[in-house]
């Protein structure tokens, strides 16, 4: 198989499985769990020295960072989810960088302190702090969706939406963050309803 995706469905590798399904490309799923017994073993650190999943080996090209991998795969394989012009490619990069910098750290903090951490380690103040920090970026995206046909780029679902979803998805444990965001809620439902998304999330029984 030309493309190997290293990770497990219950990790950010879900983003890359979903991307591959959107693009209709075959891949080998190499199961590597995050952490000391998987991604931090020497043989995997040799491919991604950050010790994280996902990473890919694609015809000898090694790449890490889920959202960068997704943009690379879209650029390589094309189709409706890929950029159709340099301008769209730039917009997809902008929205992806925005998802990684303006949304993911805060959404992850909210998720950790509502769900992921053992209960004694959860700090409610960290949730309110994270939701306050993500409020302005969410308002930006809400307005953008309402004015641009319900998607981030090109008035259609693209890899930018998939990448943004990968970050906003962490807010599912704090629904109050999206309670007054009807355009984002509709967009999330449309993203999640895609056959490729269903196929990817089915890998983790969702
Ligand atoms: N920004 C990276 C983050 C990757 C990441 O943090 N992956 C987690 C799993 S979701 C991991 O491998 N953690 C294992 C560790 O840090 O030991 C990406 O999007 O690929």
């Amino acid at each position: 198989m030309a493309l190997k995706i290293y990770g497990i469905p219950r990790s950010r590798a879900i983003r890359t499985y979903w991307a591959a399904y959107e693009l209709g490309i075959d891949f080998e799923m190499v199961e590597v769990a995050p952490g000391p017994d998987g991604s931090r073993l020497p043989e995997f650190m040799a491919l991604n020295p950050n010790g994280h999943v996902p990473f890919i080996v694609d015809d000898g090209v090694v790449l890490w960072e889920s959202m960068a991998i997704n943009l690379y795969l879209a650029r390589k394989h094309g189709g409706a989810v890929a950029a159709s012009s340099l301008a769209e490619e730039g917009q997809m990069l902008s929205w992806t960088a925005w998802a990684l910098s303006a949304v993911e750290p805060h959404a992850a903090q909210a998720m950790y302190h509502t769900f992921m951490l053992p209960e004694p380690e959860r700090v409610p103040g960290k949730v309110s702090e994270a939701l306050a920090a993500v409020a302005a970026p969410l308002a930006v995206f809400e307005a953008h969706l309402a004015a641009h046909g319900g998607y981030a780029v090109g008035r259609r679902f693209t890899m930018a939406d998939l990448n943004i979803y990968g970050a906003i998805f962490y807010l599912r444990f704090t629904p109050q963050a999206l309670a007054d965001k009807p355009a984002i809620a509709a967009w999330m439902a449309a993203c999640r309803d895609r056959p490729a998304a269903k196929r990817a999330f089915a890998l983790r029984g969702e």
Side-chain angles (χ1 to χ4, degrees):
M1 203 78 78
L3 172 63
K4 293 182 182 185
I5 302 176
Y6 294 74
I8 54 169
R10 285 207 173 274
S11 75
R12 288 173 175 84
I14 188 86
R15 299 170 180 171
T16 303
Y17 305 140
W18 179 3
Y21 291 143
E22 287 285 354
L23 293 163
I25 51 177
D26 291 331
F27 64 91
E28 182 183 339
M29 193 183 294
V30 185
E31 290 210 8
V32 177
D37 298 327
S39 58
R40 291 188 184 266
L41 292 173
E43 64 261 43
F44 301 124
M45 293 287 285
L47 293 166
N48 181 2
N50 300 289
H52 295 157
V53 288
F55 55 89
I56 65 167
V57 180
D58 182 38
D59 276 328
V61 176
V62 179
L63 292 175
W64 32 265
E65 283 295 328
S66 55
M67 296 190 190
I69 293 168
N70 289 352
L71 293 175
Y72 158 85
L73 290 174
R75 174 84 185 270
K76 179 171 177 179
H77 296 280
V81 301
S84 65
S85 64
L86 181 60
E88 278 198 1
E89 186 160 356
Q91 290 160 356
M92 287 168 64
L93 284 165
S94 288
W95 279 112
T96 295
W98 171 86
L100 277 170
S101 60
V103 177
E104 183 167 10
H106 310 305
Q109 179 172 319
M111 177 175 71
Y112 269 86
H113 287 276
T114 46
F115 175 75
M116 294 280 277
L117 288 172
E119 275 199 62
E121 290 173 38
R122 294 178 198 168
V123 181
K126 291 278 181 192
V127 178
S128 34
E129 177 189 284
L131 296 188
V134 82
L138 289 179
V140 167
F141 193 44
E142 175 75 11
H144 179 85
L145 291 174
H148 294 86
Y151 290 102
V153 175
R155 307 181 88 83
R156 67 185 192 284
F157 179 89
T158 68
M159 206 56 87
D161 297 290
L162 196 163
N163 281 346
I164 298 166
Y165 189 98
I168 286 189
F169 174 60
Y170 291 160
L171 292 170
R172 68 194 182 283
F173 302 104
T174 48
Q176 66 272 30
L178 299 172
D180 61 344
K181 300 281 183 295
I184 295 180
W187 167 86
M188 287 191 82
C191 292
R192 187 60 179 77
D193 200 40
R194 295 182 65 80
K198 289 181 181 164
R199 203 171 158 194
F201 282 98
L203 295 171
R204 50 198 249 178
E206 291 175 9

